Amino acid sequence: MTIATQAPPMRYPRLAQPWIALFLAVLAELGIAFFVLNVVAVPLIAVWVGIPMLLVFVPATRWFANCHRTMLAGFTGEPIPRPYKKPPMPGILKWLRTTLTDPATWRDIVWLIVNATIGFTLCLLSAVLFLATLFYLVYPLLVGVTPEGVFTEPFGGLFTVNFWTSFLMVPVALIAFMIWQAAGERLLKANAFMARSLLGPTESAKLALRVRELAESRAETVDTQAAELRRIERDLHDGAQARLAALSMNLGMAEEMVNRDPAQAAALLTEARESASTALSELRDLVRGIHPPVLADRGLEGAVKALALSCPFKVDVTIDIPGRPAAPVESAAYFAVAEALANAVKYSAATNAWIQITHEQEKLHILVGDDGIGGAVIRPGGGLYGIERRLAAFDGTLTVVSPSAGPTTVIMELPCESSSLKTTPSSGTD
Ligand SMILES: Nc1ncnc2c1ncn2[C@@H]1O[C@H](COP(=O)(O)OP(=O)(O)OP(=O)(O)O)[C@@H](O)[C@H]1O
Ligand SMILES: [Mg+2]
């Protein structure tokens, strides 16, 4: 099974499209009302009346545009991101200033009028082609006859036909159908692309959004690293450091007693040896938490297989990566799998689990699934949340699909360029 992300398929079935087109055409004309209200409200700011008007109309227009973004994404196969400046500054006047200086507000208004003209025409044409097909197909059935034997044509008579000649309209239906087949969806797509160019973010808005995302992920990475350092410091302070202090004390006391009371000195030395070995094992655990030796020695594949073997149930492992990812990526992938698997052991009551790791489209695709009870959630402070943040530092994502009756699937994607994959096994913790 591949987990590659592809452009989402068309959401709407072919036969639903004419009705959606009709609906969009009606909405396009409704949009004129939003256009007029906004255009009237802006100059009225000078006499203050415009302010309450805009406080209502701008959010209403954004809501209207957002509904279209969602609907039209189905035709282009890609979501149309919301380009608005976020977050609006607190305070009504500041909010108004942010909103009115946001180019997206004005592009929405331009879209309203373009949609009411070009968009309306494209949608209506797409709908009319299909409706014409239906109309001319049933046309012969609509031709009636009065008790006097006079033929009456549908809708007052578009053409002068009688019952038999009305069948001549059937080829017209077929021609309309063929045109609709060839052009109906394209017309809707053209409308969606037109809307996308006005409703989607501009290149500079995309860059601003990206900068904001990077700033957020950098802040989170710094936080995570600081928290990790504090954890290591605490572990060393409460663990190895305390044991070594006890060890040093015991050795000092044993040194004093060795001549006076050799038996007591021997007991203290035994205690010191125990402290030393506990400190050593705590230090080993700590090192394993920072960079597991198995990962350094055997790479992601070996380390994940070792994780799978330590599970109390059967875990199928499929790994297909053409080399070793860079150490930080490998480490993030390993800890992500370890957390998902640890959760499966702790909560899922599963009898089977599976791990798939592939490399496609310059990304590591990692899937960890179990056939357990489901109900996994990402909640702040939890391990899954931590992994999500950790992957975000690499521009990676984590998605949990876990309905209440199971199964649970944790899907993770981690950017990893093919050129960064090492074909020779790396050694040590480079
Ligand atoms: N595979 C799973 N099957 C069923 N429930 C799960 C599964 N994974 C997670 N959960 C549920 O989702 C919750 C969140 O998991 P998460 O790993 O984020 O936190 P945690 O395991 O409770 O804490 P931590 O990871 O810090 O020990 C868990 O408390 C558990 O109820
Ligand atoms: Mg957990």
Side-chain angles (χ1 to χ4, degrees):
M1 182 184 156
T2 55
I3 328 156
T5 43
Q6 285 150 359
M10 268 285 285
R11 265 211 308 256
Y12 311 115
R14 198 108 181 115
L15 282 179
Q17 288 172 19
W19 311 109
I20 295 169
L22 208 58
F23 182 57
L24 286 174
V26 173
L27 285 186
E29 292 316 293
L30 263 181
I32 294 179
F34 286 95
F35 176 79
V36 172
L37 292 172
N38 279 293
V39 168
V40 168
V42 172
L44 288 179
I45 294 178
V47 286
W48 296 99
V49 189
I51 294 177
M53 286 172 81
L54 282 176
L55 287 178
V56 176
F57 301 151
V58 171
T61 307
R62 288 189 173 187
W63 170 80
F64 188 68
N66 283 338
C67 293
H68 278 79
R69 285 187 181 96
T70 312
M71 279 188 289
L72 296 172
F75 288 107
T76 54
E78 276 174 52
I80 305 177
R82 298 173 186 193
Y84 307 116
K85 275 186 192 164
K86 275 192 280 185
M89 288 194 242
I92 289 181
L93 286 181
K94 285 181 180 169
W95 178 87
L96 204 62
R97 208 180 71 195
T98 317
T99 309
L100 292 183
T101 51
D102 185 351
T105 306
W106 302 102
R107 292 170 80 233
D108 276 359
I109 293 175
V110 173
W111 165 76
L112 284 172
I113 198 69
V114 175
N115 189 41
T117 48
I118 302 175
F120 171 77
T121 314
L122 293 169
C123 291
L124 195 68
L125 210 59
S126 177
V128 160
L129 283 169
F130 182 78
L131 296 179
T133 307
L134 289 188
F135 176 70
Y136 287 120
L137 269 184
V138 295
Y139 190 85
L141 307 179
L142 299 176
V143 172
V145 60
T146 62
E148 296 82 40
V150 177
F151 284 104
T152 58
E153 291 153 43
F155 310 114
L158 289 177
F159 304 94
T160 350
V161 288
N162 65 29
F163 181 75
W164 299 110
T165 54
S166 68
F167 281 98
L168 291 175
M169 291 300 156
V170 173
V172 177
L174 293 179
I175 291 169
F177 179 74
M178 272 153 48
I179 301 176
W180 174 72
Q181 266 287 343
E185 192 172 310
R186 286 203 177 103
L187 287 167
L188 286 176
K189 280 188 176 165
N191 173 47
F193 279 110
M194 178 275 292
R196 163 180 287 275
S197 63
L198 286 167
L199 292 182
T202 55
E203 279 309 309
S204 65
K206 273 187 206 158
L207 280 177
L209 195 72
R210 184 82 189 115
V211 168
R212 200 164 61 220
E213 276 172 9
L214 288 177
E216 276 168 14
S217 90
R218 190 185 57 179
E220 273 166 4
T221 310
V222 170
D223 280 356
T224 315
Q225 280 178 351
E228 191 64 8
L229 271 180
R230 276 198 300 277
R231 182 185 69 81
I232 295 170
E233 188 191 0
R234 223 177 36 239
D235 284 359
L236 279 173
H237 178 271
D238 302 345
Q241 191 179 323
R243 309 262 168 244
L244 289 174
L247 167 74
S248 151
M249 241 168 58
N250 284 345
L251 285 176
M253 280 157 63
E255 196 180 21
E256 272 178 23
M257 284 188 184
V258 72
N259 291 327
R260 259 190 304 122
D261 187 351
Q264 181 70 13
L268 284 170
L269 282 175
T270 312
E271 222 174 280
R273 190 169 45 76
E274 276 164 14
S275 282
S277 63
T278 317
L280 199 63
S281 89
E282 277 177 5
L283 278 174
R284 267 200 207 109
D285 286 347
L286 193 66
V287 168
R288 230 174 268 139
I290 297 167
H291 193 89
V294 65
L295 184 60
D297 297 342
R298 293 167 53 195
L300 188 59
E301 183 165 354
V304 166
K305 282 183 177 159
L307 274 180
L309 280 177
S310 67
C311 277
F313 42 72
K314 186 167 163 279
V315 184
D316 298 318
V317 182
T318 318
I319 299 183
D320 183 13
I321 325 173
R324 279 190 69 167
V329 174
E330 199 175 56
S331 183
Y334 171 80
F335 283 111
V337 172
E339 172 59 24
L341 213 54
N343 279 349
V345 172
K346 280 197 273 182
Y347 309 114
S348 74
T351 52
N352 249 311
W354 48 92
I355 301 171
Q356 290 166 356
I357 307 182
T358 52
H359 183 263
E360 277 167 41
Q361 296 171 348
E362 306 295 299
K363 277 182 184 172
L364 274 187
H365 298 274
I366 306 168
L367 183 149
V368 181
D370 66 64
D371 63 356
I373 54 168
V377 281
I378 303 176
R379 53 172 174 71
L384 289 173
Y385 180 79
I387 294 298
E388 189 185 37
R389 300 292 91 215
R390 192 173 184 149
L391 298 187
F394 296 88
D395 255 355
T397 56
L398 178 143
T399 316
V400 176
V401 183
S402 185
S404 58
T408 296
T409 314
V410 182
I411 301 162
M412 291 160 279
E413 290 187 348
L414 199 51
C416 172
E417 287 182 13
S418 310
S419 55
S420 70
L421 290 171
K422 284 180 261 173
T423 42
T424 49
S426 77
S427 58
T429 54
D430 53 342

